[in-house]
């Protein structure tokens, strides 16, 4: 059972393992990505039902541009189809959609769907759904440094708060919980600055096999942990 008053406000998910899921079945990798996109829909729905305020899905990393051309172009077509199809659902569900990353690198058509989705959902008050696309944590930090310099920001006014406001995630709370599927135990350049005190949940389940039940299990595991943020547990003070 989940405790209502200890729900993570922000969950980030590194949706990994689509390729291996397909390979195990003798299918082309893109079939794994298709299944993964379906799974994303299911988990978004579950997150809304659970009352999660912000859900960030890592869908395509900066480094993923180095994959074979053919996989990248199939992923882009899938992304385009997905966003086109889901936009109405986002509106209906009251989702606020937001994309983070170097969006300008994406095909023009996808950029315009993203702009449309952000515009049409900006007044919504439901869950914030953040899509990390062409995203890399180091790249985001470097871009924030450049913004600070170009805007002529006074060096003394650079603080953790003012710097956070220059990141793509400006205004969002840091992730309380980061889930990574597929058995890899690494962050792979996801939300580097923002994950300073995130709780991490790793599972061997491949992303297409992830389920609402396991999502709830991950949240329940999170709720059983003691977050200390570098302090001494309150009962010992
Ligand atoms: C995650 O699945 C999706 C993306 C990175 C786009 P992978 O494609 O990385 O799947 P594996 O890790 O090869 O199994
Ligand atoms: C991380 O998965 C990126 C996404 C899930 C979008 P990768 O498959 O790209 O990460 P590595 O290469 O295993 O670290
Ligand atoms: Mg992978």
């Amino acid at each position: 059972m989940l405790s209502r008053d200890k729900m993570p406000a922000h969950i980030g998910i590194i949706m990994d393992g689509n390729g291996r899921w397909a390979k195990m079945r003798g299918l082309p990798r893109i079939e794994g990505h298709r299944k993964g996109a379906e799974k994303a829909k299911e988990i978004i729905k579950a997150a809304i039902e659970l009352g999660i305020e912000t859900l960030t899905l890592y869908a395509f990393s900066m480094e993923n541009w180095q994959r074979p051309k053919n996989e990248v172009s199939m992923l882009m077509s899938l992304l385009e189809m997905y966003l086109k199809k889901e936009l109405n659902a986002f509106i209906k569900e009251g989702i606020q959609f937001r994309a983070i990353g170097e969006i300008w690198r994406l095909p023009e058509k996808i950029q315009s769907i993203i702009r449309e989705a952000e515009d049409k959902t900006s007044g919504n008050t439901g869950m914030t759904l953040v899509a990390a696309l062409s995203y890399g944590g180091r790249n985001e930090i470097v871009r924030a440094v450049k913004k600070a310099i170009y805007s002529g920001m006074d060096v003394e006014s650079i603080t953790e708060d003012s710097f956070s406001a220059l990141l793509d995630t400006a205004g969002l709370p840091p992730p309380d919980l980061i889930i990574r599927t597929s058995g890899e135990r690494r962050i792979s350049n996801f939300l580097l600055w923002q994950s300073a005190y995130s709780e991490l949940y790793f599972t061997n389940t491949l992303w297409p096999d992830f389920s609402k039940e396991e999502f709830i299990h991950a949240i329940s595991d999170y709720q059983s942990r003691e977050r200390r943020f570098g302090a001494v547990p309150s009962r010992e003070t």
Side-chain angles (χ1 to χ4, degrees), residues 132-227:
L133 297 168
S134 186
Y135 175 87
R138 287 182 174 176
N139 167 273
E140 179 191 34
I141 292 168
V142 169
R143 282 188 289 106
V145 170
K146 286 186 175 169
K147 277 184 221 166
I149 295 172
Y150 282 133
S151 69
M153 206 167 158
D154 172 39
V155 173
E156 291 308 320
S157 72
I158 301 178
T159 61
E160 291 188 14
D161 284 344
S162 68
F163 188 75
S164 293
L166 298 173
L167 295 169
D168 296 348
T169 51
L172 298 172
D176 299 297
L177 168 65
I178 292 179
I179 297 171
R180 183 178 188 142
T181 57
S182 93
E184 311 299 351
R185 280 153 172 79
R186 55 177 171 259
I187 288 293
S188 299
N189 212 1
F190 183 54
L191 300 178
L192 294 184
W193 169 279
Q194 301 86 341
S195 64
Y197 270 102
S198 302
E199 295 295 331
L200 308 176
Y201 178 89
F202 296 109
T203 170
N204 290 335
T205 306
L206 302 173
W207 175 247
D209 290 328
F210 196 68
S211 62
K212 181 179 177 183
E213 289 66 37
E214 191 167 3
F215 188 47
I216 293 172
H217 179 263
I219 298 172
S220 151
D221 184 281
Y222 160 86
Q223 293 188 333
S224 73
R225 302 187 193 182
E226 180 178 53
R227 300 185 78 190

Side-chain angles (χ1 to χ4, degrees), residues 34-207:
R34 259 192 210 114
K35 195 79 186 166
E38 287 303 311
K39 189 54 67 174
K41 271 197 238 174
E42 196 182 315
I43 298 303
I44 291 168
K45 196 164 156 263
I48 295 172
E49 285 165 14
L50 291 164
I52 303 302
E53 286 164 28
T54 305
L55 178 70
T56 299
L57 299 179
Y58 199 10
F60 192 83
S61 75
M62 252 347 253
E63 289 73 26
N64 289 152
W65 286 116
Q66 297 162 36
R67 291 193 178 193
K69 257 205 174 102
N70 153 55
E71 178 165 348
V72 171
S73 80
M74 284 200 283
L75 273 167
M76 290 302 139
S77 312
L78 184 64
L79 181 61
E80 185 183 330
M81 258 170 32
Y82 180 89
L83 289 173
K84 259 193 210 153
K85 248 178 71 189
E86 289 313 297
L87 176 56
N88 284 330
F90 295 164
I91 296 170
K92 217 175 90 206
E93 301 274 4
I95 287 176
Q96 304 176 56
F97 177 83
R98 183 159 160 185
I100 58 170
E102 285 203 337
I103 300 309
W104 61 270
R105 286 188 190 273
L106 298 167
E108 184 49 53
K109 266 201 242 158
I110 299 185
Q111 291 184 45
S112 75
I113 307 170
I114 289 174
R115 277 193 295 269
E116 186 186 351
E118 287 181 333
D119 288 350
K120 286 194 171 155
T121 66
S122 64
N124 286 351
T125 53
M127 184 177 81
T128 301
L129 174 65
V130 184
L133 297 168
S134 186
Y135 175 87
R138 287 182 174 176
N139 167 273
E140 179 191 34
I141 292 168
V142 169
R143 282 188 289 106
V145 170
K146 286 186 175 169
K147 277 184 221 166
I149 295 172
Y150 282 133
S151 69
M153 206 167 158
D154 172 39
V155 173
E156 291 308 320
S157 72
I158 301 178
T159 61
E160 291 188 14
D161 284 344
S162 68
F163 188 75
S164 293
L166 298 173
L167 295 169
D168 296 348
T169 51
L172 298 172
D176 299 297
L177 168 65
I178 292 179
I179 297 171
R180 183 178 188 142
T181 57
S182 93
E184 311 299 351
R185 280 153 172 79
R186 55 177 171 259
I187 288 293
S188 299
N189 212 1
F190 183 54
L191 300 178
L192 294 184
W193 169 279
Q194 301 86 341
S195 64
Y197 270 102
S198 302
E199 295 295 331
L200 308 176
Y201 178 89
F202 296 109
T203 170
N204 290 335
T205 306
L206 302 173
W207 175 247

Side-chain angles (χ1 to χ4, degrees), residues 4-60:
R4 283 273 137 212
D5 53 346
K6 274 175 91 181
M7 286 306 270
H10 182 179
I11 300 180
I13 309 184
I14 304 173
M15 309 182 291
D16 196 15
N18 295 346
R20 277 163 283 173
W21 182 92
K23 193 171 176 215
M24 275 169 59
R25 287 163 179 75
L27 297 168
R29 292 177 59 85
I30 191 68
E31 288 307 319
H33 295 312
R34 259 192 210 114
K35 195 79 186 166
E38 287 303 311
K39 189 54 67 174
K41 271 197 238 174
E42 196 182 315
I43 298 303
I44 291 168
K45 196 164 156 263
I48 295 172
E49 285 165 14
L50 291 164
I52 303 302
E53 286 164 28
T54 305
L55 178 70
T56 299
L57 299 179
Y58 199 10
F60 192 83

